[in-house]
Amino acid sequence: MATTDTEPGTSDATDKKAARAARAQANTVDSIPPLARLFPLGLQHVLAMYAGAVAVPLIVGGALGYSAEDMAFLISADLFVAGIATIIQSVGFWRFGVRLPLMQGVTFAAVGPMIAIGQSEGIQAIFGATIACGLFMILIAPFFAQLLRFFPPIVTGTVILIIGLSLMRVAAGWIVDGSTEGAPPINVGFAVGTLLFIVLIERFAPPALQRVSVLLGLLVGTIAALFVPGMVDWSHVGEAAWFGVVTPFHFGLPTFQVASIVSMIIVGIVIMTETTGDMIAVGEIVEKPVNRRQLADGLRADGLGTVIGGVFNTFPYTAFAQNVGLVSLTGVRSRWVATAAGVILVVLGLIPKISAIVEGVPRAVLGGAGIALFGMVAASGIRTLAKVHFNNKNVLIVAISVGVALLPTVTPTIYDQFPEWFTLIFDSGISAGAITAILLNLLLNSDEMRRDHAADPKLDASDAVRGPAAAALVHPQAEGTGLIPTHVLDTDRDAGAPAPPERP
């Protein structure tokens, strides 16, 4: 006789499968896409950051006169540690990691000091200063996180806008590709073609392909470049080994020089300022604003990645802003995509031959994709600024901060005659713009002005607070975002109605 009863455990298994499918379909920070989508999305992040990730060891190793073999080891070590640092930042453990889709890579802010240290004290002093810098970042992370109250939307939006605008120089550099006479027309053609292909995918392709539009643009651009002699150089792929081990202290035990450590600590402060902007930016994009605790956890992860970098023969690590733009462009919010990208980076660090293949993507093709990526970062800043009440003071804050930030971008030699500590800070348009925006907001939007507008439940014009932070001011169940000190406005009681029950 037939029965309609299901076997024990079948219903539970079905429910679990349905729950997993629902989580995969949900586009949240904690959702895990299916493996068929997870790998290409992660690879897209790797390709977006690859050129920037390997640039620092190439520059530093070249300045110190290292051999091709040692340069290859520096690049492998860089990719290996970048993957580990990314996994720490996205997955998180204990009080390390912001648990957002952030990619980690070696910071450009440390290039100048590291070359100076390496030429005078040797590369072992660079690694020693890097380890000391990472420990310093871990120790001061909780105190640095208290600065989050200085990042209302008028500041965060300005900093995010500056990040996008400053990175355009990187995209332009990829298109120029080392030429001293301007960009070759063929490079501009490939950059424009790649960018146009990405736009066409976003316009006409199904949603599944739209989310890997940058990866497809890089792939198609590279395939097209194969038909142009000299555009793709894979001659060194055959020489690369299939497997290589990244060993600690490959170049000798680190040395700790006081002057080198001090200069690298200054770099660490710059890194923390830039990472704060990146974490706030990606938090806004994925609609999960970071609070002080998350910011401290993310900064600790930066410090830990930097310590690991010093041990494994590489340099200080920070969040890569170009990948923030990729999150905005694709709309994929899952932090596990960044984790998958971290795993790919670790594999690339252990398999030099695969790394050499990825390195063959033409710089001009990367430049075309970079225009879209970095432009999306700038657009995210504009979106955040849309939450701001633009009175004359707030217009002035944005105008001056962007102007100060772009000075070293449009004229890189502007601060060459200033002391080294000054150039370390202000040669980075991101840190210079962030400092300017914070100071101007404190000066022009004073405590007295904030108190004058404290009763306005919709808008605190002096502090430029709207959107999620303003919602925390008026929603009885809100806990706040950490962006500003919050309080609950009891609007029912003010209107004479009974107050809502207190939260347990």
Side-chain angles (χ1 to χ4, degrees):
M1 180 176 178
T3 178
T4 58
D5 293 339
T6 57
E7 296 181 4
T10 303
S11 178
D12 291 342
T14 303
D15 291 343
K16 290 180 180 179
K17 185 176 181 180
R20 285 195 300 269
R23 285 196 300 271
Q25 291 295 324
N27 187 20
T28 66
V29 170
D30 296 318
S31 61
I32 305 177
L35 184 60
R37 290 182 56 221
L38 189 63
F39 176 77
L41 289 171
L43 180 61
Q44 184 172 238
H45 272 286
V46 171
L47 291 175
M49 69 171 291
Y50 189 87
V54 302
V56 174
L58 284 172
I59 294 170
V60 174
L64 299 182
Y66 275 70
S67 66
E69 183 180 355
D70 285 338
M71 293 276 282
F73 186 89
L74 283 175
I75 293 172
S76 294
D78 175 31
L79 295 173
F80 178 75
V81 178
I84 293 175
T86 298
I87 294 170
I88 293 172
Q89 191 72 273
S90 58
V91 176
F93 70 94
W94 190 49
R95 299 304 301 274
F96 291 85
V98 72
R99 294 176 173 87
L100 288 175
L102 277 175
M103 298 293 297
Q104 301 291 110
V106 173
T107 177
F108 283 86
V111 169
M114 288 192 300
I115 291 176
I117 294 169
Q119 290 176 342
S120 61
E121 305 291 343
I123 198 169
Q124 294 88 353
I126 295 178
F127 300 142
T130 298
I131 293 171
C133 173
L135 293 174
F136 170 81
M137 292 166 66
I138 293 173
L139 290 174
I140 72 164
F143 308 101
F144 199 91
Q146 298 305 313
L147 298 178
L148 192 58
R149 67 181 183 274
F150 297 121
F151 286 85
I154 185 67
V155 174
T156 58
T158 302
V159 172
I160 297 167
L161 174 61
I162 288 168
I163 290 172
L165 294 177
S166 298
L167 285 171
M168 282 300 171
R169 183 171 67 176
V170 177
W174 286 336
I175 297 172
V176 172
D177 197 18
S179 173
T180 58
E181 300 177 353
I186 187 69
N187 285 16
V188 175
F190 270 93
V192 172
T194 302
L195 182 60
L196 179 60
F197 187 79
I198 293 171
V199 172
L200 292 176
I201 292 175
E202 290 289 337
R203 173 62 181 87
F204 297 107
L209 293 181
Q210 289 176 9
R211 295 192 174 186
V212 290
S213 58
V214 175
L215 174 61
L216 293 176
L218 293 172
L219 179 62
V220 171
T222 303
I223 292 173
L226 288 171
F227 297 95
V228 180
M231 283 291 294
V232 180
D233 181 15
W234 279 336
S235 59
H236 54 290
V237 173
E239 303 171 1
W242 278 105
F243 183 77
V245 178
V246 180
T247 54
F249 308 124
H250 175 80
F251 295 97
L253 293 176
T255 60
F256 299 91
Q257 307 287 337
V258 174
S260 302
I261 291 173
V262 170
S263 65
M264 199 64 78
I265 283 176
I266 295 174
V267 171
I269 295 173
V270 173
I271 291 172
M272 297 176 85
T273 303
E274 294 183 350
T275 298
T276 296
D278 289 333
M279 285 193 286
I280 292 174
V282 79
E284 290 279 344
I285 291 169
V286 302
E287 297 180 354
K288 188 177 180 180
V290 296
N291 55 34
R292 291 185 181 90
R293 175 171 177 173
Q294 289 173 303
L295 178 58
D297 293 348
L299 294 175
R300 283 193 195 92
D302 257 15
L304 180 58
T306 299
V307 172
I308 296 172
V311 172
F312 282 92
N313 320 284
T314 184
F315 313 117
Y317 282 80
T318 187
F320 261 35
Q322 51 261 53
N323 295 91
V324 175
L326 187 57
V327 172
S328 179
L329 182 63
T330 62
V332 178
R333 304 177 180 182
S334 173
R335 61 191 172 103
W336 299 104
V337 171
T339 304
V343 173
I344 294 172
L345 284 171
V346 171
V347 172
L348 289 175
L350 296 175
I351 306 178
K353 192 174 289 291
I354 295 179
S355 179
I357 294 173
V358 177
E359 191 180 2
V361 176
R363 297 294 183 267
V365 173
L366 283 172
I371 294 173
L373 294 176
F374 306 153
M376 286 301 298
V377 176
S380 298
I382 295 173
R383 182 173 59 186
T384 301
L385 288 173
K387 305 170 186 175
V388 174
H389 173 64
F390 269 106
N391 54 24
N392 288 339
K393 293 182 177 62
N394 289 332
V395 169
L396 195 62
I397 291 171
V398 177
I400 295 177
S401 301
V402 172
V404 170
L406 291 182
L407 286 176
T409 299
V410 298
T411 307
T413 60
I414 189 170
Y415 299 128
D416 280 2
Q417 298 187 38
F418 283 74
E420 185 176 350
W421 67 266
F422 184 91
T423 58
L424 279 174
I425 298 173
F426 287 92
D427 260 353
S428 168
I430 298 172
S431 58
I435 292 170
T436 303
I438 292 169
L439 294 178
L440 286 176
N441 183 57
L442 291 175
L443 176 64
L444 298 177
N445 293 326
S446 63
D447 291 339
E448 291 79 9
M449 294 177 66
R450 279 190 284 272
R451 283 196 294 269
D452 290 343
H453 293 271
D456 188 344
K458 296 182 180 179
L459 174 66
D460 182 353
S462 65
D463 203 26
V465 176
R466 294 184 72 178
L473 293 175
V474 298
H475 195 288
Q477 304 298 321
E479 297 180 357
T481 64
L483 291 173
I484 56 169
T486 60
H487 62 279
V488 175
L489 296 179
D490 191 352
T491 52
D492 290 334
R493 182 175 298 170
D494 292 341
E502 293 185 0
R503 298 175 66 187

